[in-house]
Amino acid sequence: MTQAPTFDSLFRNCQRSAVHLEMRDGYMRSDPAFIDWAAGKAIDPAERWRGWLDIVKEATGRGVSVRRARIVSEPVSDYIRFEHSVTDGLNINAGEEVGWLPRQQATELALPGNDFWVFDDKAVLVNHFDGDGDSLEHEYTEDPQLASFLSSAFEKVWDKAVPHAQYRLV
C-alpha cells in the first residue's frame, strides 16, 4: 500500500474529476451534527463544514467535476434523512453533483465492498468503516485495474441514479 496523500492534497491536485460512491445507510452516528439534527436543531452547513465547502468550491472553480452517488435502502434510515437534509447547503452549494440510487435498483450492478473516492480516474482512496459507521482507515492506491473497476462501478451507479433535486425520500 502506497503512503496516502492527504485528502486535501488529493482534491487540490486533481485536474478533471473526483467521484465518490457511498453505499452505507449510516455513518458516524456519534457525529455532533447528526446528533443535533436528530434533536431538531437547525444545521448550517456553511458553519459546520466550512473546510469541506472551501476545498470543493476551489476544485469545482478550477473546472473539476465533483460527483457523489449514494446507494440507499428504502425506506431510508434517519442518517440518510440527515444527509439528504444537508445536501443542498453542503454538497450542492460547494458545486458537487449528487445522485441517489435506491438499493433495489442496484441489484444488477457489480459493486465494490467499500465506499471510495477516485480522483482523475487514477488515484483511489478506499474508505473502511466499522459496523457503526465510524471511519477506521483509508486505503490509498494508484493501481490502474482497481481505479478502472471503481470508476466503472461509479459510472454504472451514476447512470441509474436520481439527481438530488428530483430524489424524494421514501
Side-chain angles (χ1 to χ4, degrees):
M1 186 169 18
T2 306
Q3 175 65 31
T6 67
F7 188 73
D8 287 0
S9 69
L10 286 167
F11 251 100
R12 288 198 171 93
N13 292 321
C14 99
Q15 302 296 310
R16 295 179 317 282
S17 65
V19 300
H20 183 41
L21 182 60
E22 296 178 1
M23 298 181 288
R24 297 180 56 90
D25 287 319
Y27 298 88
M28 304 168 291
R29 290 178 184 96
S30 61
D31 176 358
F34 174 65
I35 293 167
D36 286 350
W37 175 87
K41 295 180 183 175
I43 303 294
D44 178 0
E47 177 185 311
R48 297 273 182 148
W49 298 287
R50 171 56 50 205
W52 174 255
L53 284 164
D54 290 346
I55 196 167
V56 176
K57 281 183 178 183
E58 189 274 328
T60 57
R62 287 186 286 112
V64 174
S65 169
V66 180
R67 296 180 294 156
R68 176 185 306 256
R70 293 175 169 146
I71 298 175
V72 296
S73 299
E74 292 180 326
V76 299
S77 68
D78 284 344
Y79 195 88
I80 296 302
R81 286 185 189 287
F82 161 68
E83 280 191 330
H84 190 271
S85 76
V86 299
T87 294
D88 281 322
L90 179 62
N91 309 91
I92 304 300
N93 185 36
E96 278 189 71
E97 294 178 76
V98 178
W100 302 82
L101 181 63
R103 192 170 310 281
Q104 289 181 323
Q105 296 176 26
T107 302
E108 67 188 30
L109 302 178
L111 297 170
N114 296 292
D115 292 9
F116 61 85
W117 281 92
V118 179
F119 298 89
D120 292 334
D121 297 315
K122 64 179 182 181
V124 173
L125 194 63
V126 178
N127 308 121
H128 297 287
F129 298 94
D130 69 14
D132 291 325
D134 290 316
S135 183
L136 293 176
E137 63 181 341
H138 301 291
E139 178 183 349
Y140 177 77
T141 183
E142 293 182 7
D143 177 294
Q145 287 181 309
L146 183 59
S148 177
F149 169 68
L150 296 178
S151 293
S152 176
F154 177 87
E155 293 303 329
K156 288 176 181 163
V157 170
W158 188 255
D159 287 345
K160 294 177 71 100
V162 178
H164 175 70
Q166 296 169 9
Y167 182 69
R168 300 296 169 251
L169 294 176
V170 175

